[in-house]
Amino acid sequence: MKKMLFICFAICAGLTGLLHGQEAGKPKALIAAFGVAERPSGTVEECRTAIAEGSPEEKEKAIAKLVSFGKDGFAALAELYTSADAGIRNATVSALTRNRQETAPLLMELLKDRDSRVRENAAGLLGRYWDIVPVPGLIEALKNDASRVRAKAAWTLGVKGTEAREAIPPLTEALSDGDSYVRENAAKALGEMGPAARDAVPALIKALEDTDKPVREKAIEALGKLGQEAGAAVPALAGSLTDPDPELRAKAAWALYNLGPAAGGAAAELADALGDKNREVRETAGRTLVLIGGSAAPPMIRLLADNDGGWGVTGAIETLGEIGRPAVPALAEALNSADARLRSRAMSALARIGRPATAALPELKILLKNADAGNRFNILEALWRIEPPPLAVVKEHLADQDPRIKHLAVSELGRRELGKEKIRLLLDALKDVDYIFVRSAAFSALGELGPEAIDAVPALTELLRSPSGFDRPDAAFTLGRIGPAAKEALPALKKALEDSDTFVRARAVRAIEEINSEEREINNAGD
């Protein structure tokens, strides 16, 4: 009997020692990782007490000890991560991230804890572990009954991007989750997968009808990031261009822009968006229409015909001009319209296109023969931008009764190929006392000619010296653009530094700098 009791005692002692050895060995790696010399005495609750009542140093030590208590200690750290005390949060982050590889498995365990508060606290840490937590575990977390866990799992999968492409089907399913935050993060995550998430397009299209704005917003962004793979979403995205929320309209325009030419089916809606009150919507719609190209011209021309004016008309003219040659056939056809307003607007667009619009020249020349005084300017502007006129034609229009045509003719004199006579003609235009914008065009043309306008320097200097001339700032500015060739004007420019007009003084300073700096460059090159 005594022998039997001894054997039982020995067995119990051995088991106790074995269990103690296993328990003591379990946290060794964690203890080493967090700089704890040995397994701390006490309990998780004692650490909590020290964190709540101790000095800053004691709090930090207690937080460091928590990690060596395994799952229970990690659960306490996850809770402390949300503390209102910045010092506690910082110490917790330091403890958690010192060796994330060791603690990541504990995090995944806590995501399955029975206590929803523990699971939610653990989910809050996923952002610290996004790059090392396993994708299968996150996919499993998408089915968690705590919405915060599902949402954070979706977010983390999105941060992983294409590395987590196996999560695309469950993320697509999560777009139907009962929690809007989960749906929002699922849509965002699918967008981060890029074209690989092509199979999610139908679900993302459906998400555009979500009652929650952030979900619709992330769905739009996701479709945009999928690029041409989201071609089936064009009609739905076109519908979003009329959303009451300007931010969503802007995102819809951006998404269509990312689809490029594939967004051609939304050309009519994009053309209408050129008149949107929101500048970002207008500009993005215009850029998208340029990408679509010539097939986008007809709806914009309809806009020119139907719209009374405003942003829509201005945007359509500018966009057609940027599309360039591919838009010319539709614009040339518009020149034959019975609607004078449409013809005029088509001419403005052709003028913006310029020389690539030569196919429209026959229609423009026919219109010029039958033009009345009100239409001549628009026709001539388009004709001359497409096919610059010779000097003889320009001279014929310098005395035109329409000041707009006179201005147009003076502007043409800035072309270098027109010969030396253009300088005299520009100086004559500087004497126009009726229209300041004609004189302004002459100053601009002389400036564009640069050193070639050296013969104009004396006249410009005289204008600068005029005690009450309104053209003194323009004269100073033009002398600066002529550069070192205008050095004889330096005394007058230096005198202008004392002028009572601030604008004149500022222009004189700039002109002196340009004349001297360019002259120094010439001298240095000669050396």
Side-chain angles (χ1 to χ4, degrees):
M1 183 69 179
K2 288 181 180 179
K3 186 176 181 181
M4 181 65 70
L5 287 172
F6 174 78
I7 293 171
C8 289
F9 177 78
I11 291 172
C12 289
L15 287 172
T16 302
L18 178 62
L19 289 172
H20 176 74
Q22 288 177 342
E23 187 63 25
K26 185 177 180 181
K28 276 185 178 179
L30 292 174
I31 290 171
F34 290 89
V36 180
E38 59 183 17
R39 193 183 194 286
S41 59
T43 65
V44 170
E45 289 306 316
E46 288 176 357
C47 287
R48 287 181 182 273
T49 301
I51 294 166
E53 302 175 0
S55 66
E57 292 78 10
E58 291 171 335
K59 290 179 179 182
E60 188 171 344
K61 288 180 180 179
I63 289 170
K65 287 180 181 180
L66 277 173
V67 73
S68 56
F69 284 101
K71 183 178 176 181
D72 291 341
F74 194 87
L77 286 167
E79 184 179 343
L80 291 172
Y81 185 69
T82 64
S83 171
D85 186 316
I88 291 177
R89 290 198 308 275
N90 290 336
T92 302
V93 169
S94 178
L96 289 169
T97 58
R98 203 172 299 165
N99 194 315
R100 296 179 307 141
Q101 294 290 347
E102 296 289 347
T103 54
L106 296 176
L107 171 60
M108 301 310 292
E109 283 186 45
L110 290 183
L111 290 175
K112 307 175 201 174
D113 197 274
R114 292 181 180 181
D115 189 328
S116 63
R117 291 174 302 175
V118 173
R119 297 198 303 273
E120 290 177 1
N121 286 335
L125 292 173
L126 281 171
R128 297 276 174 185
Y129 291 81
W130 70 269
D131 56 332
I132 58 174
V133 288
V135 172
L138 292 170
I139 291 175
E140 185 179 350
L142 286 175
K143 302 173 184 177
N144 200 288
D145 60 5
S147 62
R148 177 173 166 79
V149 175
R150 299 197 303 275
K152 289 298 290 187
W155 178 88
T156 309
L157 287 166
V159 177
K160 283 181 171 291
T162 53
E163 178 189 335
R165 65 180 64 201
E166 64 190 271
I168 291 173
L171 283 169
T172 303
E173 187 177 341
L175 289 173
S176 302
D177 195 280
D179 187 279
S180 64
Y181 190 44
V182 176
R183 299 196 302 274
E184 177 187 346
N185 280 322
K188 184 178 187 301
L190 288 166
E192 298 304 323
M193 305 290 176
R198 63 180 69 85
D199 291 341
V201 169
L204 287 167
I205 292 173
K206 186 177 179 181
L208 296 181
E209 302 173 1
D210 199 283
T211 56
D212 193 77
K213 174 190 168 183
V215 177
R216 299 198 303 275
E217 181 178 337
K218 296 305 178 187
I220 291 172
E221 290 179 0
L223 288 166
K225 289 179 179 179
L226 266 63
Q228 295 189 7
E229 296 290 348
V234 169
L237 289 170
S240 294
L241 288 172
T242 58
D243 193 285
D245 190 300
E247 187 176 352
L248 286 178
R249 297 199 302 275
K251 288 186 180 297
W254 169 85
L256 288 165
Y257 174 79
N258 275 9
L259 267 66
E269 291 83 357
L270 286 163
D272 289 338
L274 293 173
D276 197 282
K277 293 180 180 179
N278 183 280
R279 179 179 178 180
E280 186 179 356
V281 176
R282 296 195 303 270
E283 292 181 350
T284 309
R287 290 197 296 271
T288 308
L289 287 163
V290 171
L291 287 179
I292 294 170
S295 62
M300 282 189 281
I301 289 174
R302 285 195 294 272
L303 180 69
L304 294 180
D306 300 338
N307 202 302
D308 289 334
W311 291 115
V313 168
T314 303
I317 290 173
E318 291 177 353
T319 304
L320 286 163
E322 289 185 43
I323 289 175
R325 192 189 305 274
V328 172
L331 288 167
E333 184 179 346
L335 294 177
N336 297 316
S337 171
D339 184 344
R341 184 176 63 176
L342 174 58
R343 294 198 305 272
S344 175
R345 291 170 175 175
M347 292 171 200
S348 296
L350 288 165
R352 281 183 168 272
I353 295 172
R355 299 193 183 200
T358 52
L361 284 174
E363 286 85 353
L364 287 168
K365 289 177 180 178
I366 291 171
L367 288 171
L368 184 61
K369 289 180 181 179
N370 304 314
D372 56 27
N375 293 325
R376 287 176 61 247
F377 168 73
N378 287 329
I379 300 171
L380 282 172
E381 182 185 35
L383 273 171
W384 290 6
R385 293 289 180 267
I386 298 170
E387 188 177 65
L391 182 61
V393 173
V394 174
K395 288 169 67 175
E396 288 176 11
H397 294 85
L398 286 173
D400 201 283
Q401 292 185 348
D402 186 335
R404 297 175 302 165
I405 293 177
K406 185 185 292 189
H407 173 273
L408 186 64
V410 171
S411 297
E412 287 293 321
L413 292 172
R415 289 162 40 213
R416 296 182 184 278
E417 69 271 20
L418 291 184
K420 292 185 178 181
E421 188 181 0
K422 61 181 177 285
I423 303 298
R424 179 185 63 78
L425 296 171
L426 286 168
L427 291 177
D428 287 343
L430 289 178
K431 300 172 185 176
D432 191 306
V433 296
D434 296 320
Y435 302 105
I436 187 172
F437 62 88
V438 171
R439 299 199 303 276
S440 178
F443 281 119
S444 180
L446 288 167
E448 288 173 12
L449 292 170
E452 190 179 346
I454 187 172
D455 291 342
V457 171
L460 292 169
T461 304
E462 192 62 31
L463 285 171
L464 180 62
R465 287 179 174 146
S466 175
S468 59
F470 292 112
D471 296 324
R472 285 176 298 147
D474 286 333
F477 183 70
T478 305
L479 286 165
R481 293 186 70 189
I482 292 173
K487 61 183 178 181
E488 68 180 74
L490 283 173
L493 285 166
K494 291 176 180 177
K495 180 68 175 174
L497 297 177
E498 305 170 3
D499 199 280
S500 59
D501 188 323
T502 304
F503 200 30
V504 173
R505 296 198 302 272
R507 286 291 180 87
V509 169
R510 180 65 183 273
I512 292 170
E513 289 176 353
E514 290 181 349
I515 291 170
N516 287 335
S517 64
E518 291 186 21
E519 188 172 24
R520 280 195 295 271
E521 288 179 10
I522 292 172
N523 291 335
N524 290 337
D527 295 340

